[in-house]
Amino acid sequence: MSLTCGIVGLPNVGKSTLFNALTKAGAVAANYPFATIEPNVGVVEVPDDRLSVLNEMFSPKKLIPTLFEFTDIAGLVKGASKGEGLGNKFLSHIREVDAIAQVVRCFVDSNITHVDGMVDPLRDIETINLELILADIEVIEKRLPKIEKKALLKTDKEIVREYEVLVKVKEALENELPARSVPLNINELKTIKHYSFLTLKPMLYVANISLDELKTGNDFVKDIEEYAGKYNDKVIVVSAQIESELSELENDEKEMFLEDLGINESGLDKLIRESYSLLGLKTYFTAGEKEVRAWTYSDGMNAKECAGIIHSDFERGFIRAETIAYGDLVDAGSEKIAKEIGKMRLEGKDYEVKDGDVLHFRFNV
């Protein structure tokens, strides 16, 4: 699956520091606006404890996790929708991603400048979200006059639906509400999909706080959670600085460091997992002596479609999928026992694959 999450935020909120920690790609992280001009793209492994369990069970020659892509996008400033700062580049790069992780500064540090002079997370969020709204309104206002006459004549059902959906979305945007707050059915979403509306993309807020407040949070975080709750958006809390330090450590050292901090998992693991989930992505596994591998698929895909993720021949010549639920496999202790006690099922092409399914595809071409 080639879906990607864009990391956005105002300048100097810890966005590129977080991206560097995610990918160790060495993106520029400087204490001045527009240190990132062209988007940096990084591919990361999706953390999944189930893969380690399968590795122990099958002892394969190769262990291959599934991957997810992040894009670090230039910092935005007020007026971006009108071309201020790097606005045009910023907005065009966001159109190319499938979900947005908005990093919000929730710490006070006099040594790190803030583009607006003082730390105010809600103001920062509203600055970015308003620019995204204005950009979407501009797209709609360019389109509506071109289809209005045809829509009113009601001779073309597709044009009528497009017009009605755009009017509905525009009304929400003009009330400073994101397009994702508008209840749209599947057909309506398909009608406007090609517009790549910025405010229709799933949003995850990443509250970047200091180490001292990592476990307890602060009032800034509470404000963001309340704001995000209005639109069913998610919020996670991280310390970009700590994540930067963690990224330099080996796994054993990392675990000890987290234990010393009294934290169960790194903020980056939470970010990857939540971004993955934000796009409705799930994981199925293939397992054997040669290889144990995690595969990404979109929730709702059937067995035949999932087979095609591995190779088009698997989908074209699909016969059946030998399926064992991950939990059943773990309870059985081995694939052999799982089969013996009837926990392996033969599923056809229309079977909706479940997260964690261990699959073996039979095909003939």
Side-chain angles (χ1 to χ4, degrees):
M1 307 296 290
S2 57
L3 299 179
T4 181
C5 182
I7 301 179
V8 307
L10 294 175
N12 303 337
V13 296
K15 178 174 58 64
S16 290
T17 299
L18 197 62
F19 177 82
N20 288 353
L22 265 174
T23 64
K24 299 183 182 178
V28 178
N31 186 24
Y32 55 89
F34 315 135
T36 306
I37 297 176
E38 293 301 325
N40 298 291
V41 177
V43 177
V44 300
E45 295 181 1
V46 176
D48 195 325
D49 292 337
R50 295 173 299 184
L51 200 59
S52 299
V53 174
L54 294 175
N55 186 46
E56 289 185 13
M57 189 177 293
F58 287 88
S59 300
K61 294 177 181 177
K62 287 184 181 179
L63 182 68
I64 306 175
T66 192
L67 304 174
F68 189 67
E69 187 175 287
F70 283 94
T71 302
D72 179 28
I73 298 171
L76 173 147
V77 294
K78 191 173 182 179
S81 60
K82 302 299 180 185
E84 292 294 328
L86 295 169
N88 292 331
K89 279 182 176 289
F90 175 91
L91 297 172
S92 67
H93 292 151
I94 293 184
R95 290 199 192 282
E96 294 170 5
V97 302
D98 302 287
I100 301 171
Q102 185 177 158
V103 182
V104 188
R105 180 171 168 179
C106 294
F107 65 90
V108 177
D109 186 337
S110 59
N111 295 317
I112 301 177
T113 60
H114 190 288
V115 70
D116 287 324
M118 62 178 289
V119 177
D120 184 342
L122 287 187
R123 179 206 56 213
D124 293 353
I125 286 173
E126 288 169 355
T127 293
I128 287 185
N129 289 352
L130 181 58
E131 295 304 325
L132 302 183
I133 284 171
L134 291 172
D136 282 349
I137 289 176
E138 184 179 358
V139 170
I140 294 175
E141 288 182 339
K142 285 180 179 178
R143 178 60 175 166
L144 282 179
K146 297 178 181 179
I147 63 173
E148 187 172 19
K149 286 184 179 179
K150 282 186 179 180
L152 294 176
L153 289 172
K154 297 187 182 297
T155 55
D156 187 326
K157 289 182 180 180
E158 289 299 318
I159 291 293
V160 171
R161 180 159 58 196
E162 180 184 1
Y163 182 81
E164 290 175 348
V165 177
L166 290 179
V167 168
K168 193 188 299 187
V169 172
K170 184 172 182 281
E171 183 180 348
L173 295 171
E174 288 176 338
N175 285 294
E176 298 189 3
L177 298 172
R180 63 185 176 278
S181 70
V182 181
L184 299 173
N185 61 41
I186 294 174
N187 289 329
E188 289 174 323
L189 288 170
K190 284 181 179 177
T191 297
I192 61 172
K193 182 179 180 181
H194 65 285
Y195 288 111
S196 296
F197 285 128
L198 304 177
T199 64
L200 195 57
K201 298 178 188 295
M203 177 75 76
L204 170 68
Y205 293 101
V206 184
N208 182 16
I209 67 175
S210 65
L211 169 61
D212 295 339
E213 297 174 313
L214 189 55
K215 287 195 292 183
T216 60
N218 57 31
D219 289 339
F220 289 149
V221 174
K222 293 175 184 175
D223 289 342
I224 295 173
E225 289 173 338
E226 184 177 342
Y227 177 91
K230 297 175 185 176
Y231 312 108
N232 294 317
D233 296 331
K234 291 192 174 182
V235 180
I236 63 167
V237 177
V238 304
S239 169
Q241 188 56 48
I242 291 301
E243 298 303 327
S244 180
E245 294 177 25
L246 281 169
S247 70
E248 301 299 323
L249 302 177
E250 298 296 329
N251 286 337
D252 290 346
E253 296 174 315
K254 189 182 297 185
E255 288 178 10
M256 290 176 61
F257 191 8
L258 288 172
E259 191 175 326
D260 288 343
L261 293 174
I263 301 169
N264 294 326
E265 66 174 338
S266 74
L268 294 187
D269 283 353
K270 285 191 290 185
L271 174 57
I272 296 168
R273 194 176 60 252
E274 288 295 344
S275 299
Y276 191 75
S277 174
L278 198 63
L279 287 166
L281 300 179
K282 305 287 186 180
T283 303
Y284 75 82
F285 302 96
T286 53
E289 292 181 0
K290 291 184 178 180
E291 174 184 286
V292 166
R293 182 164 181 166
W295 300 87
T296 298
Y297 72 99
S298 290
D299 193 20
M301 289 179 70
N302 62 38
K304 186 177 179 182
E305 291 168 331
C306 284
I309 292 171
I310 298 177
H311 197 284
S312 59
D313 283 350
F314 281 34
E315 183 172 10
R316 185 160 54 91
F318 181 91
I319 299 173
R320 63 180 181 271
E322 296 178 357
T323 307
I324 305 175
Y326 172 79
D328 288 342
L329 181 58
V330 172
D331 290 343
S334 73
E335 186 179 47
K336 182 175 182 292
I337 295 174
K339 290 179 179 179
E340 290 173 353
I341 62 176
K343 292 300 183 180
M344 189 196 81
R345 312 183 309 275
L346 298 179
E347 300 288 0
K349 63 181 182 180
D350 295 325
Y351 167 69
E352 188 174 306
V353 173
K354 305 295 187 297
D355 184 60
D357 276 352
V358 181
L359 302 173
H360 181 73
F361 295 108
R362 297 293 185 185
F363 70 102
N364 183 35
V365 290

